[in-house]
Amino acid sequence: MFHSKSILVIAGLSVFFSACGNLLPHGDAVTDSPWQSFQDAQKTFDLIVPYQTTIEDLKRLKLDPESNANITILNYSDVVRRFIPGASVSLSDLDTGVQECIAAKTACKGYEIDQKSTTRIRFGNFWADFLNFKRKVNVAGWRFNGVLLVMDGKVIYKLTGGQPIIHEVEQSNNPLGPLQSFGESNLINH
């Protein structure tokens, strides 16, 4: 009788501790976006043809800063800083569309699109994580960047980049566990 009770207790504890991994927090960081993936965003940008795509076309493609919350409008100074970062780059080194935009000064503006989607999932030993001894986090997702220069109602330049696949593993080890942060906060305050 005692033997079967101890087996049940051990089985119950092993199920409890194996399920503890599901108790670790996880989170998502998703930028509000009309795209579900890097490839979706790139396909949209592939439809943009410099000197042909209009502002109305951009609105249909959901690239309107008034309706897409994650588009930054770049003014003349922003464009110059972005494309001529120092004396080593001259205007003649730049793409024709960029040269025209800089020459037009305030008659040209830029759109910067920065879209991302990441998921952070903590994994590993629940108690080591909970007590702050060891924490492991799996980070996965994507990030897309695009720049458009618009003048006279048309796109005159486009550039895309980013990370189609983000996969990182963050790990922290704190030999003192819950006391680790206590010592750090005292050092900061003194």
Side-chain angles (χ1 to χ4, degrees):
M1 181 90 166
F2 175 74
H3 182 56
S4 63
K5 282 186 178 180
S6 61
I7 289 174
L8 285 174
V9 169
I10 291 171
L13 286 173
S14 65
V15 168
F16 173 75
F17 286 117
S18 66
C20 285
N22 294 330
L23 298 175
L24 292 173
H26 67 277
D28 296 324
V30 178
T31 304
D32 187 26
S33 167
W35 307 294
Q36 299 303 310
S37 69
F38 179 93
Q39 291 75 16
D40 288 346
Q42 187 62 58
K43 284 179 188 174
T44 299
F45 266 72
D46 290 344
L47 298 173
I48 299 170
V49 180
Y51 299 100
Q52 291 181 18
T53 302
T54 66
I55 296 236
E56 292 305 314
D57 295 330
L58 292 179
K59 288 179 182 179
R60 281 191 289 281
L61 293 171
K62 303 199 186 318
L63 290 168
D64 178 19
E66 293 182 22
S67 63
N68 186 332
N70 298 298
I71 297 178
T72 302
I73 298 173
L74 305 174
N75 63 31
Y76 171 72
S77 297
D78 297 329
V79 172
V80 170
R81 273 194 302 273
R82 175 175 295 278
F83 290 100
I84 306 178
S88 63
V89 178
S90 69
L91 191 60
S92 62
D93 295 331
L94 303 173
D95 185 86
T96 304
V98 178
Q99 290 180 26
E100 289 176 18
C101 184
I102 291 173
K105 297 188 180 190
T106 58
C108 181
K109 63 182 169 185
Y111 295 163
E112 179 179 33
I113 297 86
D114 191 17
Q115 303 288 322
K116 72 177 178 178
S117 175
T118 57
T119 302
R120 300 174 57 84
I121 299 173
R122 284 167 47 181
F123 67 98
N125 182 292
F126 171 79
W127 293 108
D129 186 294
F130 180 74
L131 295 172
N132 199 30
F133 283 103
K134 185 180 237 179
R135 182 162 294 160
K136 295 179 185 177
V137 182
N138 186 41
V139 181
W142 58 275
R143 183 178 61 80
F144 179 86
N145 299 103
V147 175
L148 301 172
L149 297 180
V150 179
M151 187 171 72
D152 298 328
K154 287 188 179 175
V155 174
I156 61 171
Y157 177 79
K158 72 173 181 176
L159 180 67
T160 63
Q163 289 179 271
I165 298 172
I166 296 172
H167 186 239
E168 302 168 349
V169 175
E170 300 171 355
Q171 184 170 329
S172 62
N173 294 312
N174 297 313
L176 299 177
L179 300 176
Q180 194 84 32
S181 61
F182 176 74
E184 290 172 359
S185 64
N186 279 343
L187 291 176
I188 293 171
N189 291 330
H190 287 90

